[in-house]
Amino acid sequence: MNIHEYQAKELLAKYGIGIPAGHAATTVEEAVEGAKKLPGPLYVVKAQIHAGGRGKGTFKELGPDAKGGVRLAKSVEDVESNARDMLGNTLVTVQTGEAGKQVNRLYVTDGVDIAREYYLSMLVDRATGRVAMIVSTEGGMDIEQVAHDTPEKITTITIDPAQGFMPHHGRAVAFALKLTGDLNKQAQKLAKQLYTAFMDLDCAMLEINPLVETEDGKLLVLDTKMSFDSNALYRHPDVEAMRDETEEDPAEVEASEYDLAYIKLDGNIGCMVNGAGLAMATMDIIKLNGAFPANFLDVGGGANREKVTAAFKIILKDPAVEGILVNIFGGIMKCDVIADGIVAAAKDVNLSVPLVVRLEGTNVEQGKDILNNSGLPIVSADDLGDAARKIVAEVKQAA
Ligand code: ADP
Ligand code: MG
């Protein structure tokens, strides 16, 4: 789960981390109120969307010459006009895709006199099984570009979870940022605070870009992105309350209401599978047969009729879907029960695309009979390879 910049800053501030003052706003009036509470004379008005690259973004409604989603304002009146300009309009950045994202929230924050910009991020590194801290002197830029052009300017420090954060980790971070004197000490302290926050909050990723050194010698978090391990959210109701569903894919939100693991992908073959491993294998075998999956969907072990219907509806809402492959292993669930569910769901949603079903497991023969006698144009398949070949052929034929 992702949250907004202003929310991430609220969380980090609780760990004593240096953040410029700021106030979130959903209306022009609130933005003005927020600005009045700040000392001035420099303000920055920032669009709050779940995507980076806002500063260099463009507003669809305002044309290519208008300013982006991070704007400097020199007075409260200036904050007001920039807020009016941005709220409700669609910001397109390198991370939003062409459709862009509507700006429903702003963050009005102190304008900072920046001496230098740095980069610092943290993530769970699968290769080492540790939390990695990635730092670079090249802040404020696209870190993928830095990694590509000047990889020597990026330093990765990993922290053994059993040992925890040690003073030498902090020194390594400060050294990689080429900081001396008091700034070096601030960086060591910040690294430790960030590690504590990351572990406490069950983060999946935390990125600060830029981390800045101010003209008066302070390290401040100017921009941050945080994402959380969804499986650990039950431990953090305060974080869970920060979820902004308007920023998420509507189909994924609906799927989570039915406890379905759904991720939209770019292909044209919808998949409904039980078990994440089988879902991955199904996606692989669709690709092996020359087509692409439209989604990952794991209906889980206890898929009942209601869940199967919800899954069908979610798959069919995607206009790219030209065929559906159902691949279910009836272990705890019996195949005849699943077949009943599939038939009922297919009738319920007025299925308009080819449907191939592969069932295996307990009561498989009864299940196949139910599908064959349903009167619906359901194509039955014997194994995974057969199922994939059949759905790819059906979709080609229908096109
Ligand atoms: P994004 O990464 O989405 O473009 P940032 O918050 O990183 O958004 O802003 C882009 C740039 O704008 C930063 O690299 C920084 O130079 C400038 N900036 C952002 N916030 C402030 C601020 N509070 N004061 C001064 N400059 C800022
Ligand atoms: Mg940034």
Side-chain angles (χ1 to χ4, degrees):
M1 188 192 83
N2 298 315
I3 57 172
H4 289 293
E5 172 196 3
Y6 78 93
Q7 296 167 322
K9 285 180 168 173
E10 249 169 49
L11 289 174
L12 293 181
K14 288 187 191 153
Y15 289 84
I17 293 163
I19 308 280
H23 303 281
T26 54
T27 62
V28 175
E29 295 71 36
E30 279 173 15
V32 169
E33 285 313 303
K36 282 183 183 160
K37 287 185 217 154
L38 296 171
L42 270 188
Y43 310 87
V44 177
V45 188
K46 308 179 78 170
Q48 299 294 291
I49 56 170
H50 285 187
R54 296 162 300 169
K56 294 198 180 88
T58 50
F59 281 95
K60 263 196 176 163
E61 295 83 357
L62 307 180
D65 298 327
K67 285 187 276 178
V70 176
R71 299 179 174 193
L72 199 66
K74 292 192 170 135
S75 63
V76 174
E77 293 70 42
D78 215 5
V79 167
E80 182 175 358
S81 66
N82 278 299
R84 188 159 284 129
D85 221 23
M86 284 197 261
L87 273 174
N89 282 334
T90 316
L91 183 58
V92 181
T93 81
V94 287
Q95 290 183 10
T96 60
E98 265 173 52
K101 286 209 159 162
Q102 191 178 46
V103 177
N104 300 319
R105 253 166 235 274
L106 299 171
Y107 188 53
V108 183
T109 177
D110 266 340
V112 173
D113 286 327
I114 303 171
R116 279 196 63 98
E117 299 194 328
Y118 304 97
Y119 177 92
L120 192 161
S121 68
M122 296 175 70
L123 46 84
V124 182
D125 179 18
R126 285 177 177 76
T128 56
R130 294 174 168 195
V131 169
M133 222 172 236
I134 297 156
V135 290
S136 174
T137 50
E138 307 307 295
M141 299 189 224
D142 180 5
I143 197 70
E144 279 84 12
Q145 199 64 40
V146 178
H148 181 265
D149 298 343
T150 49
E152 70 282 1
K153 290 190 173 163
I154 295 180
T155 305
T156 302
I157 295 143
T158 65
I159 297 137
D160 183 338
Q163 192 185 35
F165 192 92
M166 303 300 279
H168 70 86
H169 294 123
R171 289 195 293 274
V173 167
F175 181 77
L177 294 176
K178 298 191 163 61
L179 295 171
T180 55
D182 187 57
L183 281 164
N184 182 293
K185 288 207 180 76
Q186 287 184 49
Q188 292 187 44
K189 188 171 160 202
L190 173 72
K192 184 169 183 190
Q193 290 165 325
L194 287 171
Y195 183 80
T196 307
F198 191 94
M199 299 303 280
D200 263 13
L201 297 169
D202 291 307
C203 290
M205 197 272 311
L206 193 170
E207 185 182 54
I208 300 171
N209 191 21
L211 169 71
V212 299
E213 173 187 332
T214 62
E215 289 292 355
D216 57 358
K218 287 203 184 69
L219 278 186
L220 290 180
V221 170
L222 218 62
D223 181 22
T224 183
K225 259 187 171 177
M226 264 172 122
S227 72
F228 301 86
D229 181 346
S230 308
N231 294 312
L233 279 177
Y234 74 95
R235 299 204 285 212
H236 309 286
D238 52 331
V239 174
E240 202 167 15
M242 291 179 164
R243 184 169 175 191
D244 181 354
E245 288 184 351
T246 65
E247 291 288 325
E248 297 175 19
D249 184 305
E252 289 179 15
V253 173
E254 194 181 338
S256 74
E257 278 159 22
Y258 287 94
D259 225 2
L260 302 164
Y262 171 90
I263 294 160
K264 176 160 166 40
L265 302 168
D266 297 331
N268 60 351
I269 297 185
C271 311
M272 187 166 93
V273 189
N274 65 339
L278 194 58
M280 301 291 270
T282 305
M283 287 164 29
D284 280 348
I285 206 151
I286 288 172
K287 283 188 100 169
L288 200 62
N289 282 277
F292 288 90
N295 64 277
F296 168 95
L297 198 162
D298 174 9
V299 291
N304 53 19
R305 181 171 157 172
E306 193 200 4
K307 265 193 167 184
V308 171
T309 310
F312 259 106
K313 286 186 179 161
I314 288 164
I315 292 174
L316 284 170
K317 263 190 204 157
D318 178 357
V321 168
E322 292 170 9
I324 300 180
L325 172 54
V326 175
N327 184 17
I328 302 269
F329 180 78
I332 302 167
M333 291 272 309
K334 295 188 183 72
C335 288
D336 52 333
V337 176
I338 297 165
D340 269 336
I342 293 169
V343 170
K347 284 184 177 160
D348 207 34
V349 299
N350 253 330
L351 193 68
S352 53
V353 295
L355 170 63
V356 173
V357 179
R358 181 252 178 169
L359 284 179
E360 191 52 85
T362 315
N363 293 351
V364 63
E365 291 310 324
Q366 287 103 303
K368 282 187 178 172
D369 284 346
I370 291 168
L371 295 180
N372 291 335
N373 298 328
S374 67
L376 290 166
I378 299 174
V379 179
S380 187
D382 294 323
D383 58 41
L384 201 41
D386 185 41
R389 276 189 297 278
K390 279 181 174 160
I391 188 63
V392 172
E394 290 278 337
V395 166
K396 272 204 184 121
Q397 209 183 349

